[in-house]
């Protein structure tokens, strides 16, 4: 059977060092691969997402990106966008213009801010605009099963859509978020009932090198805690901006995520003057090689 060799990297996204962030696989020259081949590769890697870099179809874009989970193609995700931009820069496939790359993907053209170089490089993607679908109440039965026994924070729970749908719920303090034991059947019911990813819980932190602690519990189609979710955090930033509740007046803040699943990610969020949310951080390249796959 004919085989093909494609440049392939594995990365750790939102990580100051390997092992802290969210893993990602990137196939750097995916032109000519059929959709079922892309899905088969993403299933084989067994990573949260695998991305495929393609030539852009418009001169405004630096490159085109397709994003696959092991089960399906997804229109947008934060850590795959950040990691893929890092891989494209390392491979010399694109050069920033005025400090930005432009990613072409299923949700359109997304600018990616580039600051610094090498291991110290920081990247941030402008997330799709998020919108409020429904504001719940702290005693909402639909959330009660998932958060039974936990004290709510100041903001009401909300269902947001930012390319992916999430229920967001503030808890009273960091300890409550850290100690939360996921009730997976309740989280899955919440996700299925609203065509959402699941439940994202957060709390404000004091005296730390981060401003919020976040946990993103994916209830559908699987049951897994996300080590570091750029999309969920971008959606949360939009909600905080909507309620005039951002941690700092300049719109910048840092999130800690992933300790409960053995990681220690840091995500850097920014809401600009136009109300757009930028989600980013550092990326570490862990594996460089080639993918040898049947054509």
């Amino acid at each position: 059977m004919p085989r093909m060799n494609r440049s392939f990297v594995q990365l750790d996204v939102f990580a100051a060092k390997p092992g802290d962030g969210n893993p990602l696989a990137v196939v750097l020259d995916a032109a000519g691969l059929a959709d079922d081949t892309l899905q088969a590769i993403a299933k084989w890697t067994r990573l949260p997402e695998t991305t495929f870099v393609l030539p852009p179809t418009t001169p405004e874009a630096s490159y085109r990106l397709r994003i696959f989970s092991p089960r399906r193609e997804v229109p947008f995700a934060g850590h795959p966008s950040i990691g893929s931009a890092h891989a494209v820069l390392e491979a010399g496939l694109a050069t920033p213009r005025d400090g930005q790359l432009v990613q072409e993907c299923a949700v359109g053209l997304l600018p990616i801010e580039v600051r610094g170089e090498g291991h110290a490089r920081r990247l941030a993607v402008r997330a799709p605009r998020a919108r409020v679908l429904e504001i719940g109440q702290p005693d909402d039965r639909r959330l009660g099963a998932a958060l039974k026994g936990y004290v709510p924070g100041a903001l009401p729970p909300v269902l947001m859509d930012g390319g992916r749908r999430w229920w967001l719920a503030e808890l009273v303090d960091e300890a409550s978020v850290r100690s939360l034991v996921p009730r997976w059947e309740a989280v899955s019911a919440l996700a299925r009932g609203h065509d959402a990813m699941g439940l994202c819980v957060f709390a404000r932190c004091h005296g730390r090198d981060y401003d919020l602690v976040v946990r993103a519990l994916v209830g559908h189609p699987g049951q897994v805690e996300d080590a570091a979710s750029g999309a969920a955090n971008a959606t949360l930033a939009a909600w905080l901006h909507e309620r005039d509740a951002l941690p700092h007046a300049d719109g910048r803040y840092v999130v800690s995520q992933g300790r409960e699943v053995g990681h220690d990610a840091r995500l850097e969020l920014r809401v600009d003057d136009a109300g757009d949310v930028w989600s980013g951080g550092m990326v570490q390249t862990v594996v460089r090689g080639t993918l040898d796959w049947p054509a």
Side-chain angles (χ1 to χ4, degrees):
M1 181 178 293
R3 304 178 78 86
M4 56 191 177
N5 291 317
R6 309 273 175 157
S7 297
F8 176 84
V9 294
Q10 283 194 208
L11 311 171
D12 205 16
V13 184
F14 303 130
K17 66 180 190 300
D20 279 356
N22 208 352
L24 175 72
V26 183
V27 178
L28 283 161
D29 47 355
L33 301 184
D35 286 6
D36 58 351
T37 300
L38 304 184
Q39 187 63 75
I41 293 170
K43 180 180 179 182
W44 172 79
T45 68
R46 299 190 180 183
L47 295 177
E49 277 95 9
T50 300
T51 65
F52 300 88
V53 179
L54 298 155
T57 64
T58 173
E60 291 84 7
S62 306
Y63 57 93
R64 180 177 168 224
L65 193 72
R66 297 183 69 180
I67 306 169
F68 284 76
S69 77
R71 296 171 182 247
R72 60 180 178 174
E73 185 171 8
V74 297
F76 169 75
H79 100 270
S81 296
I82 295 297
S84 298
H86 171 88
V88 165
L89 288 169
E90 275 203 333
L93 299 179
T95 302
R97 303 173 192 167
D98 299 323
Q100 289 188 351
L101 297 172
V102 177
Q103 174 180 292
E104 178 186 353
C105 60
V107 296
L109 299 178
L110 298 178
I112 296 179
E113 182 182 74
V114 181
R115 292 186 291 122
E117 297 181 355
H119 293 297
R121 181 189 292 124
R122 281 175 158 79
L123 299 156
V125 61
R126 191 185 71 193
R129 283 269 180 160
R131 58 194 176 97
V132 175
L133 298 180
E134 179 183 351
I135 297 177
Q137 298 299 322
D139 59 354
D140 193 313
R141 285 187 177 183
R142 296 167 297 176
L143 294 163
L147 295 174
K148 184 177 180 180
Y150 292 93
V151 179
L155 296 180
V158 64
L159 178 63
M160 297 280 291
D161 190 332
R164 286 177 160 184
R165 292 184 180 183
W166 284 94
W167 272 101
L168 310 176
E170 183 177 9
L171 300 185
V172 66
D173 56 25
E174 180 177 3
S176 297
V177 173
R178 298 284 189 199
S179 65
L180 185 141
V181 177
R183 295 182 171 94
W184 286 114
E185 291 308 313
V187 172
S188 292
L190 196 63
R192 290 193 302 269
H194 297 87
D195 191 26
M197 293 294 294
L199 175 64
C200 179
V201 296
F202 67 98
R204 299 173 188 277
C205 305
H206 306 283
R208 307 287 195 182
D209 62 351
Y210 47 86
D211 302 291
L212 295 183
V213 58
V214 170
R215 294 179 68 183
L217 310 177
V218 179
H220 181 71
Q223 294 180 346
V224 64
E225 180 165 350
D226 199 324
S229 174
N233 274 287
T235 302
L236 172 57
W239 171 236
L240 295 176
H241 178 65
E242 169 86 13
R243 304 293 286 206
D244 195 23
L246 290 164
H248 303 294
D250 66 358
R252 297 177 182 270
Y253 65 93
V254 177
V255 167
S256 168
Q257 187 178 351
R259 287 185 185 175
E260 294 71 28
V261 287
H263 301 262
D264 193 14
R266 291 289 189 279
L267 295 90
E268 300 167 4
L269 279 296
R270 174 170 64 92
V271 181
D272 65 21
D273 293 341
D276 287 314
V277 176
W278 297 77
S279 174
M282 301 174 70
V283 183
Q284 308 300 323
T285 303
V286 181
V287 177
R288 295 178 179 89
T290 56
L291 180 71
D292 184 8
W293 198 269

